[in-house]
């Protein structure tokens, strides 16, 4: 588990239902916390709610910037359900900021 934390690049657990993805993320986050980095851990629904709330008061850039300051960003429950535009936008904004370069998409946000 610690090798995933030390590599500093995106890690994607298996996609199949019931393979322990959430447990894997839990272990990854716990290992990272023990090594003392900053961790941001969300379900996709919670991330969408945070970005949605920030759109209301105009603080989306600030919210994404605060999330981006984390050494590890874990987003769980991706692909569990069909997501709406707000969740897709939230996921896009965080991934775009974390990758450090603009991502191409046909969606308008």
């Amino acid at each position: 588990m610690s090798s995933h934390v030390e590599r500093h690049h995106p890690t994607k657990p298996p996609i199949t239902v019931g393979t322990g993805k959430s447990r894997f993320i839990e272990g990854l986050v716990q290992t990272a916390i023990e090594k003392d980095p900053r961790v941001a851990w969300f379900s996709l629904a919670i991330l969408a709610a945070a970005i949605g709330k920030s759109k209301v008061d105009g603080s989306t850039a600030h919210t994404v910037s605060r999330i981006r300051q984390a050494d590890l960003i874990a987003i769980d429950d991706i692909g569990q359900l069909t997501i709406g535009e707000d969740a897709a936008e939230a996921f896009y904004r965080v991934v775009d900021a974390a990758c450090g370069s603009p991502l191409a998409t046909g969606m308008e946000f």
Side-chain angles (χ1 to χ4, degrees), residues 11-96:
T11 300
K12 185 185 95 165
I15 295 172
T16 309
V17 174
T19 57
K21 296 176 295 298
S22 292
R23 299 255 186 216
F24 175 81
I25 297 298
E26 235 176 90
L28 188 64
V29 167
Q30 183 61 41
T31 300
I33 289 170
E34 290 170 3
K35 293 186 176 287
D36 204 29
R38 293 167 296 196
V39 175
W41 183 10
F42 302 94
S43 69
L44 187 55
I46 298 296
L47 178 62
I51 296 296
K53 182 179 175 186
S54 72
K55 286 171 70 174
V56 171
D57 64 13
S59 64
T60 302
H62 177 72
T63 300
V64 171
S65 176
R66 288 198 57 208
I67 293 168
R68 177 59 189 104
Q69 290 174 4
D71 298 309
L72 173 66
I73 302 168
I75 305 171
D76 198 7
D77 296 334
I78 299 170
Q80 295 293 325
L81 301 168
T82 303
I83 61 171
E85 189 174 319
D86 287 343
E89 178 183 356
F91 183 69
Y92 172 84
R93 286 185 184 271
V94 170
V95 171
D96 184 48

